[in-house]
């Protein structure tokens, strides 16, 4: 799992609509909805500070949470949230009900390691990241925290594709082709040829 699960307390909303939402926000609450799992949606209100704290902690969209509404608990995964474009506070959150059998689509961040062991980067090459995140299908209770990509041995001109990433069991990319995640490209001014030759001799 990407983050440890957490719990939020919510209250059911009797009224919905713009006027009701504005009133909630004035009182330090965020309007939200829980939907999915072939059940009727539930309109709820959450504490603004609690939700904002969770969003800024990272991993919000890939962490299953428990929301308690009037004594009943729901396992959910955040699917979308809206921020006020001017004041940057949370306006609304959508939560998807999940169970052990629920399959979800989530964007998983990509981390790169062993830059120092990449001959291409050593001689001045640049890591050109095509995808900072990879969207995958996976079980709701087994969402990866991140995908690790090892740059050891990568030279200028090399590309790293999704097929090089070891995906956990039950996890598959949404895009059904061997797409590029990153490439190592020559810098604008070119590279030091003698450094490249030195790298080749060192490897030999």
């Amino acid at each position: 799992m990407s983050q440890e699960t957490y719990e939020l307390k919510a209250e059911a909303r009797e009224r919905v609509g713009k006027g009701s939402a504005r009133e909630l926000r004035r009182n330090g609450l965020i309007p939200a909805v829980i939907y999915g799992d072939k059940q009727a949606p539930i309109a709820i209100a959450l504490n603004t500070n609690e939700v904002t704290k969770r969003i800024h902690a990272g991993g919000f969209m890939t962490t299953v949470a428990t929301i308690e509404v009037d004594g009943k608990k729901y396992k959910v995964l955040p699917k979308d949230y809206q921020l006020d474009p001017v004041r940057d506070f949370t306006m609304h959150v959508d939560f998807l009900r999940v169970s052990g059998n629920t399959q979800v689509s989530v964007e998983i961040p990509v981390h790169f390691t062993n830059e120092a062991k990449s001959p291409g980067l050593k001689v001045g090459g640049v890591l050109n990241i095509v995808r900072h995140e990879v969207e995958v299908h996976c079980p709701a209770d087994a969402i990866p925290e991140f995908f690790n990509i090892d740059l050891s041995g990568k030279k200028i001109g090399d590309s790293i594709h999704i097929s090089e990433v070891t995906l956990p069991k039950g996890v598959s990319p949404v895009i059904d082709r061997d797409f590029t995640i990153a490439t190592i490209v020559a810098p604008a001014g070119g590279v030091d040829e003698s450094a490249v030759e030195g790298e080749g001799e060192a490897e030999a």
Side-chain angles (χ1 to χ4, degrees), residues 16 19 24 33 35 60 63 75 86 98-99 107 109 119 122-123 136 140-141 149-150 160 173 184 198 203:
V16 294
L24 285 173
V33 67
Y35 69 97
F60 182 66
T63 304
K75 279 184 75 174
V86 178
V98 298
S99 64
E107 293 190 340
K122 273 187 178 179
V123 297
V136 298
D141 58 357
I149 293 180
D150 189 348
I160 298 127
I184 295 182
E203 284 178 11

Side-chain angles (χ1 to χ4, degrees), residues 178-204:
D178 195 15
F179 55 86
T180 302
I181 294 175
T183 58
I184 295 182
V185 297
V191 297
D192 183 345
E193 291 298 328
S194 62
V196 175
E197 288 167 15
E199 283 293 330
E201 289 164 11
E203 284 178 11

Side-chain angles (χ1 to χ4, degrees), residues 18-164:
K18 287 186 177 178
S20 169
R22 277 197 294 269
E23 185 180 341
L24 285 173
R25 293 185 192 109
R26 278 198 300 270
N27 293 325
L29 298 170
I30 296 171
V33 67
I34 299 173
Y35 69 97
D37 204 23
K38 299 177 182 174
Q39 297 178 47
I42 303 171
I44 60 171
L46 293 161
N47 181 279
T48 302
N49 291 337
E50 275 292 310
V51 175
T52 302
K53 186 170 71 177
R54 292 295 174 184
I55 291 172
H56 289 298
F60 182 66
M61 301 294 286
T62 56
T63 304
V64 172
T66 300
I67 295 181
E68 182 179 330
V69 186
D70 298 334
K72 188 172 180 182
K73 295 188 176 184
Y74 301 88
K75 279 184 75 174
V76 299
L77 181 70
K79 289 303 291 178
D80 192 25
Y81 63 89
Q82 294 170 291
L83 294 177
D84 182 283
V86 178
R87 289 170 289 177
D88 194 35
F89 67 83
T90 313
M91 300 277 289
H92 187 273
V93 187
D94 290 338
F95 294 97
L96 175 70
R97 285 188 192 90
V98 298
S99 64
N101 301 321
T102 306
Q103 290 284 319
V104 294
S105 296
V106 288
E107 293 190 340
I108 306 300
V110 176
H111 291 183
F112 297 89
T113 58
N114 291 325
E115 288 94 335
K117 294 182 180 178
S118 162
L121 296 180
K122 273 187 178 179
V123 297
V126 177
L127 179 63
N128 175 43
I129 301 173
V130 179
R131 293 176 186 273
H132 290 270
E133 296 178 322
V134 173
E135 189 175 9
V136 298
H137 296 301
C138 64
D141 58 357
I143 299 172
E145 183 176 357
F146 58 85
F147 294 136
N148 184 56
I149 293 180
D150 189 348
L151 297 174
S152 300
K154 298 297 181 185
K155 303 180 179 65
I156 287 176
D158 283 354
S159 296
I160 298 127
H161 297 91
I162 187 62
S163 58
E164 295 178 55

Side-chain angles (χ1 to χ4, degrees), residues 166-189:
T166 302
L167 300 177
K169 185 180 177 182
V171 177
S172 61
V174 169
I175 299 173
D176 189 22
R177 60 181 168 79
D178 195 15
F179 55 86
T180 302
I181 294 175
T183 58
I184 295 182
V185 297

